[in-house]
């Protein structure tokens, strides 16, 4: 058994690549493992785009974390000379008092964030591809947009490696054990030891910790309507409707646009065995949304991608030290909204691993909120 690192990172997807970056940049010796190759499409960090926004309806306490994430995305873009964040703006629409619009307004008010309120008539003028009802509430956040998900993971891995992180792919980890002086992990052939272990296993975390469940989430590319782009703003969108929450992106190729449902999802027992074909039900739900809200779009998808959400019981993240295993730090349960946070999650988990605490406000994301924590 060899002690080759200060910190071992278990999983190098969205979160783990960020952890490796922030640890290595802080001067720690990092040894990271992933069961697959870099930037793969079998977990939760693929499919071209991810929404990023700051006026966060899910919980206003996320806003300070997002403010730090925005700084770190800019740092990563500068350091890698890559475009990662496209500030297209984002509108959120729904019926009166829907959770998404109400919570977005609350978060913006609590944190003094700029947010435009549009009447349905203004929304129709600004976003003519969409149908808005007279009773809809609509808000627009200009400082929102989307991230190029694979580029982001690639960039995080690149800077981690540039800061001397030792990143090993196609190397599944089997288990960990707390041992004197730290934690030991095992691959099929070797053992490694370090004072700290950070576990960022994405959907595979559900097999390591209780209280997490995985659901299958298809995303679709549909043909743009013929008149698209003729007028109006091309923003990211989010509808909070009685039928579910649906979101999508501006076209990246001028011919299609991506759309998906945030709510729902079929349970997945084993992330290694996921049905990646489209089922008739997947399409029926999406066509129902498009007919209701984007009626000019083509109704046959030109492509799709199947991804996995890892849901915690309250759909908030778990960022904490392991409750019983000293030396183990966990980032899990990102519940389908974690990607925009990856660099700040990396920073938080690096702080927890190196110092045992972080100045960033994460008290609301600890294990202790679940009575049946591990
Ligand atoms: C369809 C879809 C749309 C989404 N949209 C948004 C959005 O618009 N905005 C947003 O902010 N978030 C969004 N999310 C959520 C976000 O993408 C995820 O929260 C985030 O990508 C999770 O990253 P992760 O590192 O936890 O998981 P992953 O990126 O899957 O990484 C986990 C890694 O751990 C590795 N691993 C696991 N077990 C082992 C092992 N035993 N040994 C070695 N390696 C192992 C895996 O191979 C994998 O690479 C979306 C998610 C999906 C699926």
């Amino acid at each position: 058994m060899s002690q080759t690192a200060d910190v071992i990172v278990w999983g190098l997807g969205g979160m783990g690549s960020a952890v490796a970056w922030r640890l290595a940049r802080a001067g720690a010796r990092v040894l990271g493992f992933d069961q697959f190759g870099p930037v793969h499409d079998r977990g939760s960090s693929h499919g071209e785009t991810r929404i990023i926004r700051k006026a966060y309806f899910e919980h206003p306490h996320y806003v300070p974390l997002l403010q730090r994430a925005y700084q770190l995305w800019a740092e990563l873009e500068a350091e890698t000379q890559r475009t990662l964040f496209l500030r297209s703006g984002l509108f959120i629409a729904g019926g009166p008092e829907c959770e998404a619009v109400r919570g977005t307004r609350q978060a913006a008010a609590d944190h003094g964030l700029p947010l435009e309120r549009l009447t349905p008539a203004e929304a129709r003028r600004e976003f003519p591809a969409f149908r808005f009802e007279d009773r809809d509430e609509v808000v627009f956040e200009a400082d929102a947009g989307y991230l190029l998900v694979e580029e982001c993971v690639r960039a995080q891995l690149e800077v981690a490696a540039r800061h001397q992180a030792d990143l090993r792919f196609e190397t599944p980890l089997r288990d960990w054990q707390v041992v004197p002086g730290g934690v030991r992990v095992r691959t099929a052939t070797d053992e490694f030891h370090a004072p700290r272990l950070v576990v960022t296993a994405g959907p595979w975390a559900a097999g390591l910790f209780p209280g997490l469940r995985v659901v299958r989430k298809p995303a679709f590319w549909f043909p743009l309507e013929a008149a698209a782009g003729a007028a109006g703003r091309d923003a990211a969108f989010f509808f909070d409707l009685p039928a579910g929450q649906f979101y999508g992106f501006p076209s990246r190729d001028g011919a299609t646009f991506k759309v998906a449902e945030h709510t729902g999802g079929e349970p997945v027992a084993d992330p290694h065995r996921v049905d990646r074909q489209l089922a008739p039900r997947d399409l029926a739900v999406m066509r129902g949304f498009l007919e209701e809200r984007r009626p000019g779009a083509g109704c046959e998808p030109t492509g799709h991608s199947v991804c996995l959400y890892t849901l915690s019981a309250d759909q908030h993240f778990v960022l904490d030290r392991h409750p019983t295993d000293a030396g183990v730090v966990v980032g899990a349960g990102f519940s389908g909204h974690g990607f925009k946070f990856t660099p700040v999650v990396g920073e938080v988990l690096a702080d927890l691993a190196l110092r045992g605490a972080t100045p960033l406000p994460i008290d609301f994301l600890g294990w202790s909120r679940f009575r049946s924590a591990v």
Side-chain angles (χ1 to χ4, degrees):
M1 180 162 64
S2 50
Q3 175 172 338
T4 43
D6 299 317
V7 186
I8 293 172
V9 182
W10 177 302
L12 296 169
M15 302 302 169
S17 59
V19 175
W21 162 34
R22 298 315 293 175
L23 282 169
R25 195 179 171 283
R29 288 176 307 153
V30 178
L31 177 58
F33 293 94
D34 204 285
Q35 61 193 339
F36 301 129
V39 198
H40 61 85
D41 61 2
R42 280 169 280 180
S44 302
S45 302
H46 61 276
E48 194 172 81
T49 45
R50 292 289 185 271
I51 282 176
I52 176 164
R53 55 196 159 82
K54 233 189 239 173
Y56 216 58
F57 66 79
E58 287 85 344
H59 199 306
H61 289 179
Y62 283 109
V63 175
L65 297 176
L66 283 162
Q67 283 164 329
R68 181 65 183 141
Y70 270 57
Q71 289 171 351
L72 291 171
W73 285 122
E75 187 182 307
L76 188 62
E77 285 188 318
E79 202 167 331
T80 59
Q81 294 294 298
R82 289 172 194 262
T83 299
L84 304 173
F85 178 178
L86 291 107
R87 274 181 173 73
S88 59
L90 163 94
F91 75 76
I92 299 183
E97 286 308 296
C98 70
E99 178 207 349
V101 174
R102 192 189 56 233
T104 299
R105 290 218 304 257
Q106 184 68 51
D110 287 355
H111 294 276
L113 302 172
L115 189 72
E116 286 173 52
R117 203 169 167 168
L118 304 180
T119 64
E122 287 166 337
R124 288 181 199 116
R125 244 188 340 267
E126 295 277 353
F127 308 110
F130 296 91
R131 182 180 285 156
F132 297 94
E133 293 178 3
D134 288 342
R135 59 197 290 276
D136 282 347
E137 306 249 1
V138 187
V139 289
F140 179 75
E141 185 174 9
D143 196 18
Y146 61 96
L147 296 159
L148 300 175
V149 56
E150 287 91 351
E151 281 291 284
C152 293
V153 179
R154 202 169 284 120
Q156 293 181 151
L157 292 173
E158 183 184 307
V159 283
R162 208 182 284 164
H163 289 288
Q164 315 305 326
D166 179 355
L167 307 178
R168 304 190 188 183
F169 294 93
E170 312 289 353
T171 312
L173 292 174
R174 291 188 159 179
D175 56 19
W176 76 75
Q177 194 182 3
V178 177
V179 293
V183 186
R184 183 203 69 188
V185 299
R186 289 193 307 169
T187 67
T189 52
D190 293 302
E191 297 185 349
F192 300 89
H193 175 264
R196 298 282 179 269
L197 168 68
V198 178
V199 182
T200 44
W204 286 270
L208 301 172
F209 310 108
L212 302 174
R213 63 191 177 91
V214 179
V215 292
R216 171 185 171 278
K217 300 298 297 179
F220 305 80
W221 283 258
F222 279 93
L224 276 183
E225 41 282 275
R233 281 196 245 181
D234 205 7
F237 58 91
F238 188 103
F239 279 89
D240 189 358
L241 304 174
Q245 294 177 328
F246 299 87
Y247 65 95
F249 301 83
S251 177
R252 297 274 308 144
D253 61 5
T256 61
F257 69 100
K258 180 182 159 189
V259 59
E261 182 186 0
H262 179 54
T263 35
E266 302 290 324
V268 169
D270 177 357
H272 282 295
R273 288 187 189 76
V274 178
D275 183 358
R276 297 188 185 272
Q277 304 302 311
L278 279 190
R281 194 194 156 274
D282 298 328
L283 269 171
V285 171
M286 202 47 58
R287 286 195 182 117
F289 164 68
L290 292 175
E291 272 163 29
E292 186 183 335
R293 294 299 181 150
R294 194 151 169 170
C299 57
E300 282 306 320
T302 59
H304 77 276
S305 153
V306 170
C307 187
L308 302 172
Y309 278 10
T310 311
L311 303 172
S312 73
D314 61 6
Q315 304 204 10
H316 295 299
F317 313 157
V318 176
L319 299 180
D320 205 347
R321 289 179 296 168
H322 192 285
T324 56
D325 291 3
V328 179
V329 168
V330 179
F334 293 98
S335 302
H337 62 111
F339 197 83
K340 60 184 84 58
F341 295 87
T342 55
V344 73
V345 165
E347 190 160 270
V348 163
L349 297 179
D351 282 346
L352 294 181
L354 297 177
R355 283 180 281 282
T358 179
L360 288 155
I362 57 156
D363 287 353
F364 72 115
L365 301 174
W367 287 114
S368 61
R369 71 185 194 273
F370 302 117
R371 248 176 293 151
S372 60
V374 284

